[in-house]
Amino acid sequence: MTKKKFDVTKHSLVPKHLKLSDKEKKEILDLYRISLKELPKIRKKDSGIAHLEVKEGDVIKIIRPSATAGESIFFRVVVSA
Amino acid sequence: MAQETKLLPPKLAGEVLELVKGFSESKAKKVKEIVLQEYSHAQVEPGECVGIISAESIGEPGTQMTLNTFHFAGVAEMNVTMGLPRIIEILDGRSDISTPMMEIFLKNPYSKGKDIKEIALSIKETKLNEISDSFHIDIADKSIAIALNQEKMSELKVTQTMAINALKNGAKGYTLSQVKNGLLLKKKEKEENINVLYVDKEKFKQLHVSGVKGISQVLPVKRGEEYVIITSGTNLKDVFEMDFVDETRTMSNDVFEIAEVLGIEAARQAIINEVFKVIESQGLNVDIRHIMLVADTMCNLGLVKGITRYGVVSEKASVLARASFETPIRHIINAALIGEEDKLDSVVENVMINQPTPIGTGLPSLVVKVKE
């Protein structure tokens, strides 16, 4: 059986993951008036962000298709473990 | 873009921006302000105990759920855990679910039914004991003779070489030779204890020969216009690597496996889908927002955590809140040993000591500004 590489990001369950720049990151934290550790977390080796080259402390913007709001935006901070 | 539209959900913000096109700037600003105001009225109030409302909203219809564990997925041979046991299984975050299952979608032309039987067979895992008639131990010779069944082998599309390769990798410490209608394994070392032979015999019976590991049953079914393969047992990663599989839609019902292969966000969506599927199949009506809240809580830390004392409850900061859930004495003893502090800033611990809880109107408090 030939093995093929599969692209996780194309799966229907996986929403769009984007890495925020430092400027955008600061804007988000200011807008919601929170610190970094108050954000929900995502592991560094999570399959959904394997293509993004992230480091710890980066904020990932997730654009989820939502049953109630059409599209909803969610943020997660990258953690090591 | 103004601050107002940033606080709105993208869909609504887009609609507003579309609406105010051609308006004067002050008028547009006013529209945005009113929309934002209406939107924030529709939102949940700060201090609303959404968790308790979710718990009640899922729990009350839950009492009407049948305890009927099994539901047949199309054909009688395959059954899936449904109903209350399934809900408990998902929300507890169990990694070993009782009926793991996959729905494998296929690429064109295979989705139209081309070679569907062959494909299904190539996914099913074949173990050594499925293609052999007997495993015979010769104690004097210290060997195991395996009689292969040629009929079954051709039925399952397994060749003798595949069986030999499987044994070469799986049977270390044995010399392999082909004999009439079968294979002979001879122990290399002088082994006094013959029990080892019996243990090894059982091990060889379960040896993986061909197919995808963990898939014990396959069932091609026609769903609408296309063919889908339903399996019992899951192995998303290996199935995704097969070139006839549509890796964008193929689904597993194992939330942990999805978290591993597709990431935490996919797992969150899978939890919502799976819970909602059960509730819907029972003819109950629970708002999807409640399920979303539970799924978000479970996936908050980047890993799937169950609503158990080992999962999300163990993450609570307050000792008393943890103790009030399950195994109170253990929690209190452990907290005492390391000198843990309780800030009393959540609900349960304040109920315990008879103080107003920080929910609803109890949330805001006054702070005095000291003059410098």
Side-chain angles (χ1 to χ4, degrees):
Chain A
M1 189 60 60
T2 48
K3 282 191 177 179
K4 77 167 178 220
K5 274 219 165 279
F6 60 92
D7 190 354
V8 168
T9 56
K10 289 215 175 80
H11 196 276
S12 60
L13 278 181
V14 183
K16 202 170 184 180
H17 291 67
L18 299 166
K19 193 171 102 174
L20 292 187
S21 69
D22 285 350
K23 189 168 159 276
E24 289 169 314
K25 183 168 134 184
K26 201 180 165 300
E27 267 175 29
I28 291 303
L29 297 180
D30 288 349
L31 180 69
Y32 295 107
R33 290 177 212 146
I34 49 169
S35 68
L36 210 53
K37 65 168 193 225
E38 285 171 87
L39 278 173
K41 290 153 188 68
I42 188 165
R43 282 179 314 148
K44 199 179 167 194
K45 57 179 180 198
D46 195 274
S47 319
I49 54 170
H51 60 293
L52 284 176
E53 289 177 19
V54 291
K55 58 178 192 299
E56 266 171 65
D58 279 344
V59 174
I60 307 293
K61 179 180 180 178
I62 296 150
I63 303 167
R64 296 170 173 168
S66 162
T68 52
E71 214 171 56
S72 76
I73 290 174
F74 200 73
F75 297 96
R76 283 183 189 271
V77 62
V78 179
V79 291
S80 61
Chain B
M1 219 201 306
Q3 194 79 338
E4 288 93 43
T5 41
K6 263 196 186 171
L7 290 166
L8 291 174
K11 194 181 161 201
L12 199 56
E15 275 175 35
V16 171
L17 286 178
E18 189 64 35
L19 184 79
V20 297
K21 253 181 204 165
F23 283 25
S24 71
E25 199 161 299
S26 61
K27 208 175 164 188
K29 195 168 162 25
K30 195 133 201 195
V31 171
K32 285 179 197 165
E33 271 170 15
I34 292 171
V35 172
L36 184 63
Q37 203 184 1
E38 287 296 323
Y39 174 70
S40 47
H41 277 311
Q43 276 183 313
V44 174
E45 303 278 342
E48 182 79 70
C49 17
V50 286
I52 293 174
I53 294 171
S54 282
E56 286 174 349
S57 303
I58 298 170
E60 193 276 328
T63 60
Q64 300 168 41
M65 235 179 257
T66 51
L67 289 169
N68 187 11
T69 320
F70 293 114
H71 174 259
F72 304 114
V75 184
E77 284 139 43
M78 212 166 282
N79 48 35
V80 202
T81 309
M82 291 294 270
L84 200 59
R86 176 69 182 142
I87 297 253
I88 292 170
E89 193 174 77
I90 302 166
L91 298 188
D92 276 0
R94 292 207 192 126
S95 51
D96 53 334
I97 55 174
S98 56
T99 48
M101 228 186 83
M102 271 195 300
E103 269 174 29
I104 302 174
F105 286 84
L106 302 167
K107 280 185 176 157
N108 215 353
Y110 305 104
S111 62
K112 296 273 188 295
K114 186 177 178 257
D115 301 339
I116 189 84
K117 281 222 168 98
E118 287 76 17
I119 287 173
L121 258 184
S122 72
I123 292 171
K124 186 185 182 302
E125 180 180 19
T126 306
K127 287 176 177 162
L128 197 58
N129 65 347
E130 284 172 60
I131 53 162
S132 32
D133 281 332
S134 67
F135 286 72
H136 185 78
I137 294 181
D138 190 332
I139 295 170
D141 203 25
K142 296 219 164 46
S143 67
I144 303 171
I146 301 165
L148 295 172
N149 186 326
Q150 300 296 337
E151 243 172 70
K152 277 185 190 163
M153 278 169 73
S154 63
E155 197 181 298
L156 293 166
K157 301 250 180 316
V158 179
T159 58
Q160 190 140 348
T161 4
M162 283 158 97
I164 290 168
N165 283 339
L167 278 170
K168 264 182 192 158
N169 292 325
K172 296 265 152 63
Y174 284 86
T175 41
L176 185 72
S177 56
Q178 291 191 50
V179 289
K180 193 174 163 260
N181 65 43
L183 302 165
L184 188 77
L185 288 164
K186 201 169 159 53
K187 189 109 179 112
K188 277 176 191 163
E189 292 149 42
K190 282 263 179 286
E191 179 69 58
E192 291 301 316
N193 193 355
I194 45 171
N195 280 340
V196 178
L197 280 175
Y198 283 96
V199 173
D200 283 348
K201 187 187 97 177
E202 292 307 315
K203 213 169 76 187
F204 296 155
K205 275 186 184 174
Q206 299 302 320
L207 219 54
H208 168 86
V209 180
S210 73
V212 180
K213 263 188 194 161
I215 311 294
S216 57
Q217 254 184 328
V218 285
L219 190 73
V221 287
K222 196 167 187 187
R223 192 168 291 170
E225 281 296 292
E226 67 178 333
Y227 282 89
V228 179
I229 297 174
I230 295 175
T231 68
S232 82
T234 72
N235 194 338
L236 270 185
K237 199 164 173 289
D238 287 2
V239 166
F240 277 163
E241 279 169 356
M242 302 176 120
D243 47 9
F244 48 78
V245 170
D246 183 350
E247 75 272 28
T248 63
R249 291 182 297 157
T250 295
M251 218 69 85
S252 161
N253 72 346
D254 185 344
V255 173
F256 269 83
E257 188 178 31
I258 289 176
E260 192 60 43
V261 180
L262 296 171
I264 190 69
E265 278 294 317
R268 185 200 89 107
Q269 193 58 49
I271 292 172
I272 297 171
N273 293 350
E274 289 292 323
V275 174
F276 200 67
K277 205 161 76 187
V278 176
I279 289 172
E280 219 177 23
S281 74
Q282 304 272 321
L284 301 171
N285 191 16
V286 176
D287 195 292
I288 198 163
R289 290 172 186 87
H290 299 307
I291 303 164
M292 284 172 162
L293 180 73
V294 176
D296 270 332
T297 312
M298 287 173 70
C299 299
N300 192 26
L301 293 163
L303 290 161
V304 179
K305 294 259 182 189
I307 316 280
T308 61
R309 73 183 111 122
Y310 311 105
V312 291
V313 178
S314 72
E315 302 294 332
K316 287 193 178 183
S318 161
V319 186
L320 292 176
R322 267 180 279 138
S324 78
F325 186 68
E326 271 166 15
T327 58
I329 293 170
R330 204 187 67 182
H331 276 119
I332 290 168
I333 290 175
N334 284 344
L337 282 175
I338 58 167
E340 226 176 296
E341 206 175 305
D342 200 317
K343 297 256 195 273
L344 300 177
D345 51 8
S346 185
V347 181
V348 194
E349 49 270 41
N350 281 300
V351 172
M352 278 185 205
I353 56 168
N354 202 16
Q355 273 188 14
T357 52
I359 48 169
T361 50
L363 183 64
S365 54
L366 293 173
V367 180
V368 181
K369 192 175 182 182
V370 185
K371 257 187 189 164
E372 282 171 37

